[in-house]
Amino acid sequence: MPAPTRLLAAAVTAAACIGTTAVPTAAAPDTDAVVSRGVTIPAFYNPPASLPAADGALIRTERLPLALSLPGVDGPFPGRATRLMYKSTDSNGQPVAVTGAYLEPTAAWKGEGPRPLVALAPGTMGQGDQCAASLGLERPLLLNGQTLSVGYENLAIHRMLARGIAVVVTDYAGLGSTDRLHTYVNRVDEAHAVLDAVRAAKALDGTSLTEGSRVALFGYSQGGGATAAAAELQPSYAPDVPLAGTYTGATPADLVAVTKAIDGSDLAGALGWSVNGFLQTDPALRPIADAHLNAKGKAALKDLSTMCVGDALLAYNSARSTSWTTHGRSLSDIIQAEPALKAFLADQRIGTLKPASPVRVATGTADDLVPHAQSRELAAAWCAKGADVTYKPVVLLPLGRALLNHFAPLIADQGEAISWLTDRLNGEPAASNCAKIGRQP
């Protein structure tokens, strides 16, 4: 069994232990229903025609049944979940409806002050609406012969709930919500979605959160990019959402470097999600894409636009973008040759602004999918700006496949990352190690 397939099988097995939903192919759906790869998206995820003015304002809520929910004296363990739709603003300054979920823990918070809140930004889920992390809480393993989605973020969520920390999860713009395509790795869209999720959670009735509840952010990979960007943009976009700390792991801070690394890798499908997201954000880039992509490339983008990460691992493992272009050049080569594309990706760079609160940057030293070097450069850039940075190189031996090199640090470091965030939520000051970063790998 190839390594990516083994990793996918392990993730599927873990999700099956939490709960499995085998979703049959949809038959004769309502005319207004959205169906993605045989999965009918619940009507909740269809945004209304008009949205509230305030960022973070709740649009609608409903109970969300958790796949793992055990009876307890004080209520179901690990807690109660509420599905959310809230208003945010995209990178073009336009209103957008974003979905997600709030989880109220059964466990008591034993730290200082009222119950705190962590906004969790999911790692790569895919681009089909059926891949949304909030749906993954309800069905950790979605398998119907047309799509495969694994709610792998549920582990971190449950670990925080067990500590008495409330969690709000964002699905990001266009993932779950059916009115647009997910703008994968758009730093502004993702940062705003994360910060507005905090506002939405605090506006929700019937929670134990208070105005004094401390807030932190948690994200790895795509989620690491979202939380890193949110930490940078919080002072200007959400000064009403002060942060006690931010964990950003395997941060795709430099998309030029990441694009080159994932081309031909286990997760080559992410190239398609990136291009699709760029075109959703800036339609003026479409003539460039049309000029360079051949029929196979255009078909791949369309195919990937409804895929989850499991689908892409199986269908586009080791694909090379040179086979998607009219001239056999890679997407990285095209970016360097097209000023508009180069400028667009430069604008996505994370590390140009100083976070106003403590950040913990973790990166696997063997990670060659979201390259270690560019994540380390992010930490150094923030240190140079005087930010409070805890840099954590996760030293692991190379495991032979890029996906394994990328995934292993998430598991190896997750407990320490959650403990670091818990300390910040408990009011303990962070200890920046910027002075030592030059001597660390």
Side-chain angles (χ1 to χ4, degrees):
M1 185 183 292
T5 306
R6 287 199 303 270
L7 180 58
L8 184 57
V12 167
T13 301
C17 293
I18 299 175
T20 303
T21 301
V23 182
T25 300
D30 295 337
T31 54
D32 292 335
V34 174
V35 179
S36 182
R37 292 191 175 264
V39 180
T40 300
I41 307 303
F44 182 95
Y45 290 82
N46 299 331
S50 61
L51 302 179
D55 289 321
L58 289 167
I59 299 169
R60 63 174 69 117
T61 66
E62 69 176 19
R63 177 179 171 272
L64 190 160
L66 292 176
L68 175 61
S69 185
L70 304 176
V73 175
D74 298 320
F77 178 84
R80 303 186 312 274
T82 302
R83 206 186 315 269
L84 308 174
M85 179 182 283
Y86 59 92
K87 187 261 183 179
S88 189
T89 297
D90 69 17
S91 55
N92 292 319
Q94 297 301 307
V96 59
V98 180
T99 57
Y102 170 78
L103 298 100
E104 171 81 11
T106 303
W109 166 246
K110 298 180 180 179
E112 178 186 296
R115 187 188 300 280
L117 173 69
V118 166
L120 185 140
T124 296
M125 294 289 156
Q127 207 157 42
D129 289 325
Q130 77 278 12
C131 320
S134 62
L135 289 171
L137 288 163
E138 186 176 358
R139 48 193 192 196
L141 175 60
L142 190 160
L143 178 64
N144 70 348
Q146 297 183 48
T147 192
L148 172 59
S149 180
V150 180
Y152 60 85
E153 292 288 10
N154 294 4
L155 175 60
I157 292 167
H158 283 71
R159 292 178 80 165
M160 286 185 273
L161 293 175
R163 293 178 181 231
I165 300 169
V167 178
V168 64
V169 183
T170 181
D171 290 331
Y172 302 126
L175 190 59
S177 54
T178 57
D179 61 332
R180 64 176 65 199
L181 195 64
H182 172 43
T183 46
Y184 183 70
V185 296
N186 179 308
R187 70 177 180 90
V188 176
D189 283 13
E190 293 180 349
H192 288 183
V194 170
L195 294 167
D196 287 327
V198 173
R199 289 166 162 157
K202 288 203 166 187
L204 187 64
D205 291 333
T207 78
S208 56
L209 299 176
T210 72
E211 286 299 317
S213 293
R214 293 189 176 100
V215 175
L217 311 179
F218 180 101
Y220 187 88
S221 193
Q222 181 187 359
T227 58
E232 287 190 338
L233 293 177
Q234 176 272 327
S236 60
Y237 182 75
D240 57 309
V241 184
L243 300 176
T246 295
Y247 161 69
T248 172
T251 316
D254 179 358
L255 293 187
V256 174
V258 176
T259 297
K260 188 173 183 179
I262 64 177
D263 201 340
S265 75
D266 305 322
L267 198 57
L271 290 173
W273 296 328
S274 300
V275 174
N276 284 336
F278 300 161
L279 298 180
Q280 170 73 32
T281 297
D282 187 358
L285 297 175
R286 186 164 294 280
I288 298 174
D290 288 342
H292 289 284
L293 292 173
N294 58 24
K296 181 179 178 180
K298 293 173 183 177
L301 295 193
K302 183 178 180 180
D303 192 28
L304 283 157
S305 70
T306 57
M307 279 190 169
C308 298
V309 66
D311 308 324
L313 287 173
L314 294 173
Y316 288 93
N317 176 41
S318 302
R320 294 195 174 275
S321 64
T322 51
S323 69
W324 294 356
T325 61
T326 57
H327 37 59
R329 285 186 287 161
S330 69
L331 288 181
S332 293
D333 291 337
I334 295 170
I335 289 167
Q336 294 302 318
E338 292 285 356
L341 274 177
K342 197 171 183 178
F344 184 89
L345 266 70
D347 190 54
Q348 298 300 322
R349 185 68 181 257
I350 303 171
T352 62
L353 301 171
K354 175 187 172 182
S357 51
V359 290
R360 183 180 188 271
V361 180
T363 166
T365 57
D367 193 343
D368 50 355
L369 191 68
V370 177
H372 166 66
Q374 56 89 52
S375 293
R376 186 183 185 280
E377 288 169 9
L378 169 65
W382 276 343
C383 284
K385 296 182 187 311
D388 184 346
V389 180
T390 300
Y391 170 65
K392 172 63 177 183
V394 183
V395 181
L396 297 172
L397 293 174
L399 298 175
R401 299 290 304 203
L403 188 63
L404 296 172
N405 292 336
H406 178 64
F407 189 77
L410 167 64
I411 302 302
D413 185 55
Q414 189 174 87
E416 188 176 330
I418 292 174
S419 292
W420 184 90
L421 275 188
T422 303
D423 288 343
R424 306 292 79 73
L425 294 170
N426 201 29
E428 298 180 20
S432 173
N433 62 355
C434 281
K436 300 178 181 178
I437 193 171
R439 301 192 297 274
Q440 293 182 283

